[in-house]
Amino acid sequence: MNVETITKTLNSLDQLQRNTAIQSDLFSIEQTSDLTVAAALVKTLENLGVRYAFGLFGGGITPFIASLEQSSIEVLQFRHEAGAAFAAIESYFASGHPVVVFSTTGPGITNALTGLFAARWEGAKVIFVSPCTSATQRGRWAFQETSQYTMSNTGIFTSGTLFHYATTVECNSELSEIARRLALGVGKLGGFVAHISIPRTIQTSLLTTPLPHVNFSPTLVTAGEDTISKCLQLLCEAPFAIWVGFGAKDAALEIRQLAERTGAAVMSSARGKGIFPEDHPQFVGVTGFGGQNSVLKYMQEQRPLRVLVLGTKLGEFTSFWNPVMVPSRGFVHVDIDPEVPGAAYPYAETFSVQSDIGAFVRAILKYFPEISRSSSVLPLPRPEREVIKSHLEGLVRPEFLMDAIQRVIVENSDAIIMTEAGNSFAWGTNILRFAAPGRYRVSTGFGSMGHAGTGILGAALARNRKAVAILGDGAMLMNNEITTAVKHKIPAVWIVLNDARYNMCDQGMNMEGFHNVDAEIPSPDFVMIARGMGADGIRVSRECDLEAALEKALALTIPFVVDVIIDPTRPAPIGSRINSLIFHGK
């Protein structure tokens, strides 16, 4: 099918739906003469589909919490507000429902900020509700005063780089507009992080206006026929490759059809693992941090004319901005955010398409004919899969641990698996293989320690199934929420790479030539810690005992820790990151 035929076919179609705003209608659903503002806000959150609220109680937020406890929303109190926010992120991605995070004044808010920044970077839908000091008490040094006198107003209480929407409620009549803004944010494509700051005096006051219910009809952002025609023209000129990211997670079936119909090689970001099956013959590997050399081999030896980028920002941990990853004629980059295409590689030729990934692929798929595969087509490089045999002596090798996780957990369960920032991220991304989307989660943007260790609670709760965190001993000591899992009977599993050090820092600094830096930490017994908190665990120091330990962790329904004493001398696959630091730091 040539370009002229494609264009004529497209011109005979109706205009594809272009970007439209979400339509909202407000109407009163009940008389609210005896409803407090806190109760009305909770009803608004219920109407938006919120199922869970994660946080830490305190005096300033008490009226709102009391209303939450009387609602259909399940309330979970955490040990730390950052952990609550991480759990909220993963609950959203596991369920698709917006999630509430709550805190009290002062340090409750600042403790939550790390998790809320991660929510913004990850693209989650999280509504943060916190109290602030009442107007009559501001400037008088109230306990944990939260106001413009004691805390910067920039970024915490206003819309901007952290919150898509933020407001301080000063009057109960403002709730109608707040409900409308929240509905618009929740209904739009992409992430939405909001902050509703509400003084206790306003929480307890009676609502004086009708409680609104907001109906929204989200509309897909789609490309027009001219754009589709141009994309077809560019992609039909020569063989192309597909680079898949997390933003394409809901279009896995369509992407596979496109790849198989066109014969395109496919690579993915770490967050995109499993969207295209990693055991598929057209999959050439994962890019960036912890990625496989097969990708670079493909780009160097069979360099495509163009790369179709679907749902990835091509940020540092996905691409390292490596010029080898730029095809000879550049990118066709599809994303719902118009600011994404061209940002990572500003010097590369880029045809930008603003569209929902699924809608785009469905539109373009109609006009690609089936290809006839020729024996002359070069075989694609594939990620190497080393057979790792058990050692009878010595500590557990991290690569052997990952191979065991692959066999026992990935291939024989439906558990969600998350890897933590650090060497755990590198080992898991490099060795684990997924054939379906939604099983693997990692934070490649904000990359906070503690994200996986607490995020698995939200994922396990939302999916009602096992969730497994693979993390280092440093991250496990920082933030884990074992007691929260025990209290709420959440079947979380922590697999700890216990090497008595911050090993990514240790190995990375040695790779850069900085030696004799103290990165060691005392090696705790995480099994004793788990049991002291009401959970259980097992310590593994020999490779021959590992498989049985993992099987036990899967079989039990209680929170469980697998404390693995690993060999700290095994070099993690982090060389690309170190090389990038050196190259871009010059």
Side-chain angles (χ1 to χ4, degrees):
M1 183 181 293
N2 58 33
V3 176
E4 289 76 13
T5 303
I6 293 171
T7 305
K8 289 179 181 178
T9 305
L10 286 169
N11 288 338
S12 66
L13 300 174
D14 292 333
Q15 176 80 8
L16 288 176
Q17 189 175 22
R18 296 181 182 273
N19 302 354
T20 59
I22 294 174
Q23 301 298 316
S24 301
D25 296 307
L26 297 179
F27 59 91
S28 174
I29 60 172
E30 60 178 298
Q31 295 300 314
T32 57
S33 57
D34 59 347
L35 200 64
T36 66
V37 170
L41 178 57
V42 169
K43 281 187 172 292
T44 298
L45 297 172
E46 286 181 304
N47 292 339
L48 293 175
V50 173
R51 294 180 178 179
Y52 298 106
F54 304 99
L56 198 60
F57 300 174
I61 200 66
T62 298
F64 175 72
I65 299 301
S67 295
L68 274 178
E69 294 282 11
Q70 300 300 315
S71 73
S72 63
I73 298 172
E74 185 174 349
V75 181
L76 295 93
Q77 179 163 223
F78 274 58
R79 291 175 53 236
H80 195 278
E81 292 86 354
F86 292 138
I89 293 168
E90 299 310 321
S91 174
Y92 167 72
F93 285 126
S95 68
H97 288 268
V99 188
V100 164
V101 174
F102 59 85
S103 79
T104 191
T105 49
I109 295 172
T110 56
N111 284 347
L113 289 180
T114 298
L116 294 170
F117 271 110
R120 178 70 184 249
W121 282 52
E122 293 289 314
K125 285 185 167 67
V126 173
I127 300 169
F128 179 45
V129 180
S130 75
C132 62
T133 303
S134 299
T136 58
Q137 299 175 350
R138 294 171 192 166
R140 299 169 57 193
W141 299 107
F143 176 66
Q144 294 181 340
E145 180 171 336
T146 303
S147 72
Q148 68 270 25
Y149 295 103
T150 58
M151 298 175 70
S152 171
N153 192 44
T154 303
I156 298 179
F157 303 106
T158 57
S159 306
T161 55
L162 173 54
F163 296 111
H164 294 90
Y165 170 60
T167 188
T168 298
V169 185
E170 301 287 11
C171 177
N172 54 30
S173 63
E174 294 179 83
L175 195 59
S176 295
E177 177 60 16
I178 291 171
R180 189 184 75 85
R181 294 289 189 105
L182 291 178
L184 289 172
V186 168
K188 75 180 184 68
L189 294 172
F192 176 68
V193 183
H195 182 192
I196 309 302
S197 175
I198 179 169
R200 183 183 171 111
T201 53
I202 299 296
Q203 294 175 50
T204 57
S205 66
L206 293 178
L207 197 67
T208 57
T209 56
L211 175 65
H213 184 114
V214 181
N215 286 337
F216 52 84
S217 302
T219 304
L220 290 181
V221 179
T222 61
E225 64 177 48
D226 291 343
T227 300
I228 295 295
S229 176
K230 180 64 175 178
C231 289
L232 286 168
Q233 177 185 344
L234 296 176
L235 297 177
C236 285
E237 289 180 0
F240 66 94
I242 301 173
W243 198 342
V244 176
F246 187 67
K249 61 185 181 299
D250 296 325
L253 177 61
E254 294 92 338
I255 292 171
R256 179 168 181 169
Q257 291 174 341
L258 178 63
E260 292 178 343
R261 189 168 296 183
T262 61
V266 182
M267 49 197 167
S268 83
S269 68
R271 290 210 305 163
K273 282 172 69 72
I275 293 175
F276 191 83
E278 294 187 75
D279 57 359
H280 195 285
Q282 289 173 241
F283 185 71
V284 297
V286 178
T287 66
F289 185 71
Q292 288 110 15
N293 291 329
S294 52
V295 176
L296 296 177
K297 182 178 180 181
Y298 166 73
M299 292 300 295
Q300 289 169 329
E301 297 179 1
Q302 301 182 37
R303 191 181 184 195
L305 187 69
R306 288 186 175 86
V307 170
L308 174 62
V309 182
L310 301 175
T312 169
K313 295 180 175 67
L314 303 183
E316 182 183 3
F317 262 35
T318 295
S319 69
F320 290 123
W321 307 309
N322 189 339
V324 172
M325 298 303 297
V326 180
S328 55
R329 292 298 302 275
F331 302 104
V332 175
H333 197 152
V334 185
D335 203 281
I336 58 172
D337 185 347
E339 296 185 7
V340 166
Y345 288 100
Y347 59 85
E349 182 179 345
T350 300
F351 184 73
S352 173
V353 181
Q354 185 186 13
S355 176
D356 169 76
I357 304 301
F360 172 85
V361 178
R362 286 190 294 273
I364 203 168
L365 192 60
K366 298 175 184 178
Y367 309 108
F368 270 109
E370 295 284 348
I371 67 165
S372 57
R373 302 187 184 277
S374 171
S375 58
S376 62
V377 176
L378 292 175
L380 294 171
R382 299 278 293 126
E384 296 181 2
R385 187 69 186 274
E386 181 183 355
V387 177
I388 307 174
K389 296 183 179 181
S390 175
H391 284 178
L392 297 178
E393 303 293 335
L395 300 176
V396 178
R397 294 164 294 165
E399 58 267 46
F400 182 85
L401 170 60
M402 295 302 153
D403 190 63
I405 292 171
Q406 176 72 35
R407 288 182 281 106
V408 176
I409 300 178
V410 176
E411 296 174 6
N412 288 293
S413 81
D414 62 354
I416 296 170
I417 297 174
M418 298 184 64
T419 55
E420 191 71 86
N423 279 0
S424 303
F425 176 133
W427 286 117
T429 299
N430 185 268
I431 295 178
L432 299 181
R433 304 285 191 271
F434 296 88
R439 291 283 310 279
Y440 185 70
R441 280 283 297 136
V442 66
S443 173
T444 60
F446 206 60
S448 174
M449 292 174 65
H451 187 134
T454 58
I456 54 168
L457 273 68
L461 193 67
R463 290 279 187 92
N464 192 28
R465 69 166 90 159
K466 285 276 186 180
V468 178
I470 304 172
L471 70 171
D473 47 344
M476 188 67 174
L477 287 168
M478 185 177 292
N479 207 344
N480 59 66
E481 298 288 348
I482 293 175
T483 56
T484 308
V486 170
K487 177 179 179 179
H488 297 284
K489 298 180 173 60
I490 300 174
V493 175
W494 294 264
I495 301 175
V496 185
L497 280 66
N498 192 344
D499 53 16
R501 68 200 65 213
Y502 295 109
N503 211 4
M504 182 180 179
C505 299
D506 193 14
Q507 293 184 356
M509 294 188 74
N510 275 283
M511 287 181 183
E512 290 195 67
F514 303 111
H515 304 294
N516 301 317
V517 177
D518 183 10
E520 294 185 4
I521 54 179
S523 180
D525 188 329
F526 289 107
V527 175
M528 291 184 66
I529 293 173
R531 288 174 178 165
M533 293 182 175
D536 201 359
I538 187 170
R539 172 168 274 207
V540 181
S541 58
R542 299 187 306 169
E543 292 182 349
C544 59
D545 298 328
L546 188 55
E547 188 167 326
L550 296 176
E551 289 173 346
K552 182 176 182 180
L554 277 182
L556 295 177
T557 58
I558 61 174
F560 197 84
V561 173
V562 183
D563 185 6
V564 186
I565 310 303
I566 66 165
D567 183 351
T569 66
R570 303 294 294 183
I574 62 173
S576 56
R577 161 67 169 164
I578 304 305
N579 291 336
S580 176
L581 284 173
I582 295 171
F583 177 80
H584 292 291
K586 290 181 178 179

